[in-house]
Amino acid sequence: MKLFVCVNQVPDTETKVKVGQDGKTIDRSEVNLILNPYDEFAVEAALQIKDKSGAEVTYVSVGGDSHKEVIRKALAMGGDKGILIKAEGISDSSAIASMIAATLKDSGADIIFFGKQSIDYDDAAVGIMVAEILGLPSASVVVKLDLDASGKKVTCEREIEGGRETVELTMPCVITAQKGLNDPRYPSLKGIMAAKSKPVQDLAAPPADVLTEVTAMRKPAAKQPGRVLGTDKSAVPELVRLLHEEAKVI
Ligand SMILES: Cc1cc2nc3c(=O)[nH]c(=O)nc-3n(C[C@H](O)[C@H](O)[C@H](O)COP(=O)(O)OP(=O)(O)OC[C@H]3O[C@@H](n4cnc5c(N)ncnc54)[C@H](O)[C@@H]3O)c2cc1C
Protein backbone atom coordinates (compact mmCIF):
# COMPACT_ATOMS: atom_id res chain seq x y z
CA MET A 1 0.00 0.00 0.00
CA LYS A 2 1.26 3.47 -0.89
CA LEU A 3 0.36 6.43 1.29
CA PHE A 4 1.24 10.05 0.58
CA VAL A 5 0.97 12.87 3.10
CA CYS A 6 1.09 16.47 1.91
CA VAL A 7 2.79 18.69 4.45
CA ASN A 8 3.04 22.46 4.57
CA GLN A 9 5.35 24.81 6.44
CA VAL A 10 3.60 27.58 8.35
CA PRO A 11 4.40 30.22 11.00
CA ASP A 12 4.48 28.91 14.57
CA THR A 13 1.16 29.46 16.37
CA GLU A 14 3.02 31.53 19.01
CA THR A 15 4.28 33.95 16.35
CA LYS A 16 2.93 37.49 16.17
CA VAL A 17 2.41 37.59 12.43
CA LYS A 18 3.38 40.81 10.64
CA VAL A 19 2.27 41.79 7.15
CA GLY A 20 5.25 42.11 4.80
CA GLN A 21 6.38 45.39 3.25
CA ASP A 22 4.58 44.56 0.02
CA GLY A 23 1.26 44.60 1.92
CA LYS A 24 0.35 41.24 0.40
CA THR A 25 2.29 38.57 2.25
CA ILE A 26 3.27 37.47 5.74
CA ASP A 27 6.71 38.75 6.76
CA ARG A 28 8.55 35.47 7.30
CA SER A 29 11.89 37.05 8.27
CA GLU A 30 11.48 36.75 12.06
CA VAL A 31 9.05 33.88 12.04
CA ASN A 32 9.67 30.42 13.44
CA LEU A 33 8.32 28.03 10.82
CA ILE A 34 6.79 24.69 11.78
CA LEU A 35 5.00 21.69 10.32
CA ASN A 36 1.35 22.72 9.87
CA PRO A 37 -0.40 21.35 13.01
CA TYR A 38 -3.29 19.75 11.08
CA ASP A 39 -0.73 17.96 8.91
CA GLU A 40 0.60 16.23 12.04
CA PHE A 41 -2.76 14.44 12.35
CA ALA A 42 -2.43 13.38 8.70
CA VAL A 43 1.14 12.12 9.32
CA GLU A 44 0.02 10.14 12.37
CA ALA A 45 -2.93 8.61 10.48
CA ALA A 46 -0.60 7.38 7.74
CA LEU A 47 1.95 6.08 10.25
CA GLN A 48 -0.72 4.12 12.15
CA ILE A 49 -1.63 2.37 8.89
CA LYS A 50 2.06 1.77 8.23
CA ASP A 51 2.49 0.30 11.71
CA LYS A 52 -0.27 -2.23 10.99
CA SER A 53 0.33 -3.04 7.32
CA GLY A 54 3.86 -1.96 6.45
CA ALA A 55 2.56 0.61 3.96
CA GLU A 56 5.08 2.94 2.32
CA VAL A 57 4.66 6.54 3.50
CA THR A 58 5.93 9.44 1.37
CA TYR A 59 5.71 13.12 2.34
CA VAL A 60 5.16 15.79 -0.30
CA SER A 61 5.65 19.52 0.12
CA VAL A 62 5.49 22.41 -2.36
CA GLY A 63 7.75 25.31 -1.52
CA GLY A 64 11.31 26.54 -1.18
CA ASP A 65 14.25 24.69 0.38
CA SER A 66 13.00 25.50 3.91
CA HIS A 67 10.10 23.09 3.33
CA LYS A 68 12.65 20.26 3.63
CA GLU A 69 12.58 20.99 7.39
CA VAL A 70 8.93 19.95 7.62
CA ILE A 71 9.56 16.89 5.47
CA ARG A 72 12.42 15.93 7.84
CA LYS A 73 10.21 16.59 10.88
CA ALA A 74 7.58 14.22 9.45
CA LEU A 75 10.28 11.66 8.57
CA ALA A 76 11.51 11.88 12.16
CA MET A 77 8.01 10.84 13.28
CA GLY A 78 8.26 7.89 10.85
CA GLY A 79 7.74 7.10 7.19
CA ASP A 80 10.04 6.39 4.30
CA LYS A 81 10.82 9.31 2.00
CA GLY A 82 10.02 12.80 0.89
CA ILE A 83 9.42 14.79 -2.26
CA LEU A 84 10.03 18.54 -2.39
CA ILE A 85 8.27 20.18 -5.33
CA LYS A 86 10.40 23.28 -5.71
CA ALA A 87 8.25 26.37 -6.10
CA GLU A 88 8.78 29.63 -4.23
CA GLY A 89 6.25 32.36 -3.48
CA ILE A 90 3.23 30.55 -4.91
CA SER A 91 0.17 31.92 -3.13
CA ASP A 92 -2.57 30.21 -5.07
CA SER A 93 -4.16 27.08 -3.62
CA SER A 94 -5.20 25.83 -7.04
CA ALA A 95 -1.63 26.12 -8.35
CA ILE A 96 -0.33 24.21 -5.30
CA ALA A 97 -3.04 21.58 -5.83
CA SER A 98 -2.25 21.27 -9.56
CA MET A 99 1.43 20.67 -8.79
CA ILE A 100 0.65 18.02 -6.18
CA ALA A 101 -1.88 16.35 -8.49
CA ALA A 102 0.54 16.30 -11.43
CA THR A 103 3.25 14.80 -9.22
CA LEU A 104 1.02 12.10 -7.72
CA LYS A 105 -1.08 11.28 -10.81
CA ASP A 106 0.81 8.11 -11.71
CA SER A 107 2.25 7.40 -8.26
CA GLY A 108 -0.05 4.48 -7.45
CA ALA A 109 -1.21 6.27 -4.29
CA ASP A 110 -3.84 4.39 -2.28
CA ILE A 111 -4.56 7.28 0.08
CA ILE A 112 -3.38 10.89 -0.19
CA PHE A 113 -3.59 12.58 3.19
CA PHE A 114 -3.79 16.32 3.89
CA GLY A 115 -4.41 18.46 6.93
CA LYS A 116 -7.86 20.05 6.89
CA GLN A 117 -6.23 23.48 6.40
CA SER A 118 -3.00 25.40 6.60
CA ILE A 119 -3.01 27.67 9.63
CA ASP A 120 -1.38 30.54 7.72
CA TYR A 121 -3.68 31.23 4.77
CA ASP A 122 -6.57 29.05 5.96
CA ASP A 123 -8.04 28.19 2.58
CA ALA A 124 -8.90 24.59 3.50
CA ALA A 125 -8.84 23.97 -0.23
CA VAL A 126 -5.73 22.15 -1.44
CA GLY A 127 -6.72 18.58 -0.46
CA ILE A 128 -10.18 18.75 -1.96
CA MET A 129 -8.82 20.41 -5.12
CA VAL A 130 -6.31 17.56 -5.55
CA ALA A 131 -9.17 15.05 -5.24
CA GLU A 132 -11.16 16.95 -7.85
CA ILE A 133 -8.25 17.22 -10.30
CA LEU A 134 -7.43 13.50 -9.96
CA GLY A 135 -11.10 12.45 -9.98
CA LEU A 136 -10.72 10.71 -6.60
CA PRO A 137 -13.31 10.33 -3.83
CA SER A 138 -12.56 12.49 -0.80
CA ALA A 139 -13.56 12.98 2.82
CA SER A 140 -12.72 16.21 4.64
CA VAL A 141 -12.42 17.08 8.36
CA VAL A 142 -11.99 13.40 9.22
CA VAL A 143 -11.92 12.55 12.95
CA LYS A 144 -11.97 8.74 12.71
CA LEU A 145 -10.58 6.40 10.11
CA ASP A 146 -10.83 2.63 9.56
CA LEU A 147 -9.53 0.54 6.69
CA ASP A 148 -11.55 -2.57 5.86
CA ALA A 149 -9.89 -5.99 5.82
CA SER A 150 -9.70 -6.06 2.02
CA GLY A 151 -7.62 -2.86 2.06
CA LYS A 152 -9.89 -1.44 -0.65
CA LYS A 153 -12.29 0.71 1.38
CA VAL A 154 -11.96 3.35 4.06
CA THR A 155 -14.68 4.28 6.53
CA CYS A 156 -14.37 7.82 7.87
CA GLU A 157 -16.20 9.84 10.45
CA ARG A 158 -16.42 13.52 9.54
CA GLU A 159 -17.02 16.36 11.93
CA ILE A 160 -20.15 18.26 10.94
CA GLU A 161 -22.17 20.97 12.68
CA GLY A 162 -23.54 19.43 15.88
CA GLY A 163 -22.54 15.85 15.12
CA ARG A 164 -20.62 13.33 13.08
CA GLU A 165 -21.20 11.83 9.65
CA THR A 166 -19.92 8.40 8.57
CA VAL A 167 -18.82 7.99 4.97
CA GLU A 168 -17.30 5.08 3.08
CA LEU A 169 -14.75 5.68 0.33
CA THR A 170 -13.22 3.38 -2.22
CA MET A 171 -9.46 3.66 -2.52
CA PRO A 172 -7.58 5.42 -4.04
CA CYS A 173 -8.94 8.40 -2.17
CA VAL A 174 -8.12 11.70 -0.51
CA ILE A 175 -8.57 12.39 3.19
CA THR A 176 -8.15 15.66 5.06
CA ALA A 177 -7.41 15.32 8.77
CA GLN A 178 -9.13 17.24 11.57
CA LYS A 179 -7.92 17.70 15.16
CA GLY A 180 -9.11 14.71 17.21
CA LEU A 181 -8.30 12.10 14.56
CA ASN A 182 -5.40 10.88 16.71
CA ASP A 183 -2.62 12.02 19.04
CA PRO A 184 0.40 12.69 16.84
CA ARG A 185 3.53 10.96 18.12
CA TYR A 186 6.63 12.91 19.07
CA PRO A 187 9.76 12.23 17.03
CA SER A 188 12.14 10.05 19.06
CA LEU A 189 15.88 10.75 19.11
CA LYS A 190 16.35 7.59 17.03
CA GLY A 191 13.69 8.87 14.60
CA ILE A 192 15.40 12.26 14.31
CA MET A 193 18.75 10.59 13.55
CA ALA A 194 17.19 8.15 11.07
CA ALA A 195 15.33 10.99 9.27
CA LYS A 196 18.65 12.56 8.30
CA SER A 197 19.46 9.69 5.96
CA LYS A 198 15.98 9.09 4.51
CA PRO A 199 15.76 10.14 0.84
CA VAL A 200 14.17 13.48 -0.06
CA GLN A 201 13.85 14.04 -3.79
CA ASP A 202 13.85 17.55 -5.31
CA LEU A 203 11.41 17.91 -8.19
CA ALA A 204 11.08 20.87 -10.53
CA ALA A 205 7.59 22.32 -10.19
CA PRO A 206 5.26 21.06 -12.91
CA PRO A 207 3.57 23.86 -14.86
CA ALA A 208 0.43 25.16 -13.10
CA ASP A 209 -1.95 28.02 -13.79
CA VAL A 210 -2.18 30.62 -11.04
CA LEU A 211 -5.89 31.45 -10.83
CA THR A 212 -6.01 33.88 -7.92
CA GLU A 213 -3.71 36.67 -6.84
CA VAL A 214 -3.52 38.15 -3.35
CA THR A 215 -3.74 41.93 -3.82
CA ALA A 216 -3.75 43.08 -0.18
CA MET A 217 -3.43 41.74 3.34
CA ARG A 218 -4.05 43.70 6.54
CA LYS A 219 -4.37 43.02 10.24
CA PRO A 220 -7.67 43.76 11.99
CA ALA A 221 -8.00 47.28 13.45
CA ALA A 222 -6.51 47.55 16.94
CA LYS A 223 -9.09 47.14 19.71
CA GLN A 224 -9.97 50.18 21.86
CA PRO A 225 -8.39 49.94 25.31
CA GLY A 226 -10.80 48.90 28.09
CA ARG A 227 -12.21 51.51 30.54
CA VAL A 228 -12.41 51.05 34.32
CA LEU A 229 -15.53 52.85 35.56
CA GLY A 230 -15.02 52.09 39.21
CA THR A 231 -14.24 49.27 41.58
CA ASP A 232 -17.49 49.08 43.60
CA LYS A 233 -21.24 49.12 43.06
CA SER A 234 -21.31 52.90 42.64
CA ALA A 235 -20.05 52.32 39.08
CA VAL A 236 -23.12 50.28 38.11
CA PRO A 237 -25.42 53.16 37.02
CA GLU A 238 -22.72 54.54 34.69
CA LEU A 239 -22.02 51.02 33.37
CA VAL A 240 -25.72 50.56 32.61
CA ARG A 241 -25.90 54.00 30.92
CA LEU A 242 -22.88 53.22 28.69
CA LEU A 243 -24.20 49.76 27.77
CA HIS A 244 -27.54 51.39 26.86
CA GLU A 245 -26.43 54.61 25.15
CA GLU A 246 -22.95 53.87 23.75
CA ALA A 247 -22.73 50.14 23.20
CA LYS A 248 -26.51 49.90 22.61
CA VAL A 249 -26.54 46.29 23.81
CA ILE A 250 -29.30 46.72 26.42
C1 LIG B 1 -0.04 35.81 0.02
C2 LIG B 1 0.64 34.48 0.10
C3 LIG B 1 2.04 34.43 0.16
C4 LIG B 1 2.68 33.19 0.27
N1 LIG B 1 4.02 33.18 0.39
C5 LIG B 1 4.65 32.00 0.56
C6 LIG B 1 6.06 31.95 0.77
O1 LIG B 1 6.72 32.97 0.79
N2 LIG B 1 6.65 30.73 0.91
C7 LIG B 1 5.92 29.58 0.88
O2 LIG B 1 6.48 28.51 1.01
N3 LIG B 1 4.60 29.60 0.70
C8 LIG B 1 3.94 30.77 0.55
N4 LIG B 1 2.60 30.79 0.38
C9 LIG B 1 1.92 29.52 0.18
C10 LIG B 1 1.23 29.00 1.41
O3 LIG B 1 2.13 28.70 2.46
C11 LIG B 1 0.44 27.73 1.07
O4 LIG B 1 1.28 26.69 0.62
C12 LIG B 1 -0.61 27.92 0.04
O5 LIG B 1 -1.18 29.20 0.08
C13 LIG B 1 -1.70 26.91 0.34
O6 LIG B 1 -2.23 27.29 1.58
P1 LIG B 1 -3.76 27.22 1.80
O7 LIG B 1 -4.16 28.05 2.95
O8 LIG B 1 -4.40 27.46 0.49
O9 LIG B 1 -3.80 25.67 2.17
P2 LIG B 1 -5.02 24.83 2.63
O10 LIG B 1 -5.88 24.55 1.48
O11 LIG B 1 -5.62 25.46 3.85
O12 LIG B 1 -4.20 23.54 3.05
C14 LIG B 1 -4.84 22.29 3.25
C15 LIG B 1 -3.79 21.22 3.29
O13 LIG B 1 -3.16 21.15 2.01
C16 LIG B 1 -1.80 20.78 2.17
N5 LIG B 1 -0.94 21.86 1.67
C17 LIG B 1 -1.21 23.20 1.63
N6 LIG B 1 -0.16 23.86 1.12
C18 LIG B 1 0.77 22.93 0.83
C19 LIG B 1 2.07 22.97 0.31
N7 LIG B 1 2.65 24.13 -0.02
N8 LIG B 1 2.76 21.82 0.15
C20 LIG B 1 2.19 20.62 0.50
N9 LIG B 1 0.97 20.51 1.02
C21 LIG B 1 0.27 21.66 1.18
C22 LIG B 1 -1.58 20.55 3.67
O14 LIG B 1 -1.84 19.19 3.94
C23 LIG B 1 -2.66 21.43 4.28
O15 LIG B 1 -3.04 21.00 5.58
C24 LIG B 1 1.93 32.00 0.27
C25 LIG B 1 0.53 32.07 0.21
C26 LIG B 1 -0.11 33.31 0.15
C27 LIG B 1 -1.62 33.34 0.12
XYZ file of all heavy atoms in Angstrom, residues 100-149:
360
model
N 0.703 19.278 -6.939
C 0.653 18.018 -6.178
C -0.029 16.941 -7.026
O 0.457 15.804 -7.133
C -0.085 18.218 -4.830
C 0.728 19.144 -3.914
C -0.335 16.876 -4.141
C 0.019 19.563 -2.625
N -1.133 17.321 -7.682
C -1.884 16.345 -8.487
C -1.023 15.821 -9.631
O -0.979 14.606 -9.887
C -3.164 16.984 -9.016
N -0.300 16.735 -10.306
C 0.541 16.303 -11.435
C 1.639 15.354 -10.943
O 1.978 14.367 -11.614
C 1.160 17.525 -12.110
N 2.161 15.628 -9.762
C 3.254 14.803 -9.220
C 2.746 13.419 -8.794
O 3.446 12.415 -8.959
C 3.900 15.522 -8.011
O 4.337 16.806 -8.449
C 5.075 14.746 -7.446
N 1.516 13.374 -8.282
C 1.016 12.099 -7.721
C 0.124 11.310 -8.677
O -0.289 10.188 -8.350
C 0.269 12.361 -6.405
C 1.103 12.992 -5.287
C 0.316 13.022 -3.984
C 2.424 12.232 -5.082
N -0.127 11.888 -9.863
C -1.085 11.276 -10.808
C -0.791 9.806 -11.066
O -1.684 8.957 -10.993
C -1.030 12.093 -12.115
C -2.017 11.693 -13.170
C -2.191 12.793 -14.215
C -0.911 13.154 -14.918
N -0.594 12.437 -16.110
N 0.463 9.501 -11.369
C 0.810 8.112 -11.712
C 1.622 7.440 -10.603
O 2.417 6.536 -10.858
C 1.607 8.097 -13.027
C 0.785 8.675 -14.164
O -0.421 8.355 -14.244
O 1.336 9.464 -14.947
N 1.413 7.895 -9.364
C 2.250 7.404 -8.257
C 1.756 6.086 -7.680
O 2.449 5.461 -6.893
C 2.256 8.448 -7.129
O 0.930 8.573 -6.625
N 0.524 5.695 -8.047
C -0.052 4.481 -7.449
C -0.500 4.696 -6.015
O -0.634 3.734 -5.240
N -0.780 5.959 -5.668
C -1.211 6.266 -4.287
C -2.507 5.550 -3.955
O -3.438 5.543 -4.762
C -1.411 7.770 -4.136
N -2.584 4.962 -2.763
C -3.845 4.394 -2.283
C -4.626 5.445 -1.486
O -5.832 5.556 -1.620
C -3.564 3.172 -1.403
C -3.013 2.032 -2.244
O -3.769 1.492 -3.048
O -1.799 1.722 -2.118
N -3.919 6.159 -0.638
C -4.557 7.282 0.076
C -3.593 8.468 0.026
O -2.384 8.316 0.250
C -4.855 6.962 1.564
C -5.673 5.674 1.704
C -5.599 8.132 2.215
C -5.972 5.273 3.157
N -4.159 9.651 -0.282
C -3.376 10.889 -0.185
C -3.973 11.675 0.980
O -5.146 12.030 0.973
C -3.444 11.726 -1.481
C -3.121 10.866 -2.703
C -2.477 12.906 -1.389
C -3.326 11.569 -4.043
N -3.141 11.880 1.990
C -3.594 12.583 3.193
C -3.193 14.059 3.128
O -2.111 14.401 2.640
C -2.920 11.996 4.444
C -3.459 10.664 4.865
C -2.800 9.495 4.513
C -4.604 10.577 5.644
C -3.268 8.264 4.917
C -5.087 9.350 6.054
C -4.423 8.190 5.690
N -4.060 14.890 3.710
C -3.786 16.319 3.889
C -4.237 16.696 5.290
O -5.053 16.004 5.904
C -4.615 17.162 2.907
C -4.225 16.971 1.473
C -4.719 15.896 0.750
C -3.387 17.865 0.846
C -4.367 15.707 -0.576
C -3.027 17.684 -0.480
C -3.518 16.602 -1.190
N -3.758 17.855 5.780
C -4.411 18.462 6.933
C -5.701 19.099 6.445
O -5.867 19.320 5.252
N -6.607 19.427 7.378
C -7.862 20.046 6.889
C -7.602 21.461 6.387
O -8.298 21.936 5.508
C -8.953 20.045 7.952
C -8.788 21.081 9.020
C -10.116 21.521 9.612
C -9.839 22.615 10.621
N -10.932 23.297 11.171
N -6.576 22.154 6.925
C -6.231 23.477 6.403
C -4.852 23.879 6.901
O -4.362 23.361 7.897
C -7.261 24.535 6.815
C -7.189 24.977 8.247
C -8.386 25.820 8.640
O -9.447 25.299 8.964
N -8.224 27.120 8.621
N -4.257 24.813 6.141
C -2.998 25.398 6.602
C -3.361 26.527 7.549
O -4.270 27.302 7.258
C -2.213 25.981 5.425
O -1.875 24.993 4.505
N -2.613 26.654 8.660
C -3.012 27.674 9.635
C -2.483 29.055 9.270
O -2.673 29.996 10.018
C -2.594 27.303 11.073
C -1.069 27.175 11.177
C -3.283 26.050 11.557
C -0.568 27.383 12.593
N -1.798 29.181 8.109
C -1.383 30.539 7.725
C -2.437 31.197 6.836
O -3.019 32.197 7.172
C 0.008 30.561 7.074
C 0.201 29.561 5.949
O -0.743 28.812 5.620
O 1.307 29.519 5.371
N -2.747 30.581 5.703
C -3.681 31.229 4.773
C -5.079 30.622 4.836
O -6.011 31.144 4.217
C -3.099 31.212 3.356
C -1.845 32.061 3.299
C -0.585 31.489 3.247
C -1.932 33.436 3.382
C 0.560 32.262 3.251
C -0.786 34.222 3.388
C 0.450 33.634 3.324
O 1.569 34.412 3.341
N -5.231 29.518 5.562
C -6.568 29.047 5.963
C -7.561 28.749 4.848
O -8.768 28.821 5.061
C -7.236 30.084 6.889
C -6.678 30.038 8.306
O -6.147 28.992 8.693
O -6.788 31.052 9.002
N -7.076 28.421 3.675
C -8.038 28.193 2.580
C -8.837 26.899 2.750
O -9.951 26.797 2.253
C -7.311 28.132 1.236
C -6.951 29.515 0.739
O -7.679 30.457 1.067
O -5.944 29.643 0.029
N -8.257 25.903 3.385
C -8.898 24.587 3.500
C -9.334 24.097 2.125
O -10.471 23.647 1.941
C -10.086 24.646 4.471
N -8.442 24.228 1.153
C -8.835 23.973 -0.233
C -7.965 22.936 -0.938
O -8.463 22.177 -1.775
C -8.768 25.292 -1.017
N -6.672 22.903 -0.607
C -5.725 22.147 -1.441
C -6.104 20.662 -1.553
O -6.130 20.106 -2.652
C -4.270 22.319 -0.921
C -3.313 21.405 -1.664
C -3.823 23.765 -1.064
N -6.423 20.025 -0.429
C -6.720 18.583 -0.461
C -7.898 18.260 -1.365
O -7.835 17.357 -2.205
N -8.969 19.034 -1.190
C -10.185 18.750 -1.959
C -9.958 19.066 -3.433
O -10.472 18.382 -4.332
C -11.367 19.558 -1.368
C -11.589 19.151 0.087
C -12.641 19.375 -2.176
C -11.733 17.652 0.329
N -9.147 20.094 -3.711
C -8.822 20.409 -5.116
C -8.035 19.267 -5.756
O -8.278 18.915 -6.912
C -8.005 21.695 -5.193
C -8.826 22.943 -5.007
S -7.723 24.369 -5.065
C -8.896 25.692 -5.162
N -7.095 18.690 -5.005
C -6.312 17.560 -5.548
C -7.252 16.399 -5.889
O -7.150 15.783 -6.959
C -5.205 17.124 -4.564
C -4.566 15.804 -4.998
C -4.134 18.202 -4.439
N -8.203 16.129 -4.986
C -9.173 15.045 -5.241
C -9.942 15.324 -6.525
O -10.140 14.440 -7.369
C -10.127 14.918 -4.059
N -10.357 16.564 -6.674
C -11.155 16.945 -7.850
C -10.312 16.790 -9.128
O -10.779 16.201 -10.110
C -11.608 18.408 -7.659
C -12.467 18.975 -8.756
C -13.844 18.332 -8.852
O -14.276 17.724 -7.863
O -14.457 18.429 -9.931
N -9.093 17.292 -9.089
C -8.245 17.221 -10.300
C -7.987 15.755 -10.678
O -8.017 15.390 -11.850
C -6.901 17.961 -10.070
C -7.135 19.448 -9.824
C -5.963 17.773 -11.282
C -5.911 20.199 -9.298
N -7.755 14.911 -9.670
C -7.429 13.502 -9.965
C -8.682 12.630 -10.102
O -8.583 11.434 -10.385
C -6.523 12.928 -8.864
C -5.133 13.568 -8.740
C -4.354 12.942 -7.581
C -4.345 13.421 -10.041
N -9.856 13.223 -9.876
C -11.105 12.453 -9.977
C -11.207 11.384 -8.901
O -11.752 10.300 -9.142
N -10.706 11.701 -7.691
C -10.724 10.711 -6.598
C -11.812 11.055 -5.582
O -12.109 12.228 -5.354
C -9.367 10.690 -5.871
C -8.153 10.270 -6.694
C -6.897 10.340 -5.822
C -8.340 8.871 -7.256
N -12.392 10.039 -4.922
C -13.314 10.331 -3.827
C -12.559 10.972 -2.665
O -11.367 10.702 -2.472
C -13.854 8.948 -3.434
C -12.895 7.967 -3.973
C -12.187 8.602 -5.141
N -13.256 11.815 -1.909
C -12.564 12.490 -0.803
C -13.466 12.600 0.411
O -14.690 12.613 0.291
C -12.137 13.905 -1.223
O -13.274 14.693 -1.474
N -12.832 12.674 1.582
C -13.558 12.978 2.820
C -12.745 14.042 3.545
O -11.531 13.891 3.716
C -13.707 11.732 3.686
N -13.427 15.120 3.955
C -12.724 16.214 4.637
C -13.053 16.187 6.130
O -13.973 15.483 6.555
C -13.135 17.557 4.027
O -14.535 17.690 4.112
N -12.298 16.968 6.886
C -12.415 17.082 8.361
C -12.677 15.724 9.032
O -13.603 15.555 9.819
C -13.456 18.146 8.809
C -12.946 19.535 8.522
C -14.826 17.968 8.192
N -11.813 14.776 8.731
C -11.991 13.401 9.223
C -11.465 13.285 10.658
O -10.353 13.717 10.964
C -11.271 12.403 8.278
C -11.184 11.021 8.894
C -12.006 12.360 6.943
N -12.307 12.712 11.537
C -11.918 12.548 12.950
C -11.798 11.078 13.359
O -11.408 10.770 14.486
C -12.900 13.280 13.902
C -12.707 14.780 13.827
C -14.346 12.908 13.605
N -12.163 10.178 12.425
C -11.972 8.740 12.711
C -11.798 8.042 11.371
O -12.432 8.417 10.381
C -13.192 8.194 13.447
C -13.015 6.803 14.000
C -14.130 6.484 15.003
C -13.954 5.140 15.669
N -14.100 3.998 14.786
N -10.937 7.022 11.384
C -10.575 6.402 10.112
C -10.373 4.910 10.317
O -9.662 4.513 11.229
C -9.247 7.038 9.693
C -8.582 6.624 8.415
C -9.280 7.316 7.261
C -7.122 7.047 8.432
N -11.039 4.085 9.485
C -10.828 2.634 9.560
C -10.679 2.080 8.154
O -11.489 2.391 7.273
C -12.037 1.949 10.228
C -12.079 2.227 11.706
O -11.057 1.996 12.369
O -13.120 2.721 12.172
N -9.681 1.238 7.972
C -9.529 0.538 6.690
C -10.214 -0.810 6.799
O -10.091 -1.466 7.845
C -8.043 0.297 6.411
C -7.356 1.250 5.438
C -7.381 2.652 5.973
C -5.945 0.787 5.176
N -10.936 -1.246 5.752
C -11.551 -2.566 5.858
C -10.495 -3.649 5.588
O -9.384 -3.354 5.131
C -12.796 -2.689 4.965
C -12.448 -2.958 3.522
O -11.262 -2.830 3.155
O -13.352 -3.297 2.756
N -10.875 -4.899 5.882
C -9.891 -5.988 5.824
C -9.347 -6.177 4.415
O -8.188 -6.568 4.221
C -10.543 -7.279 6.318
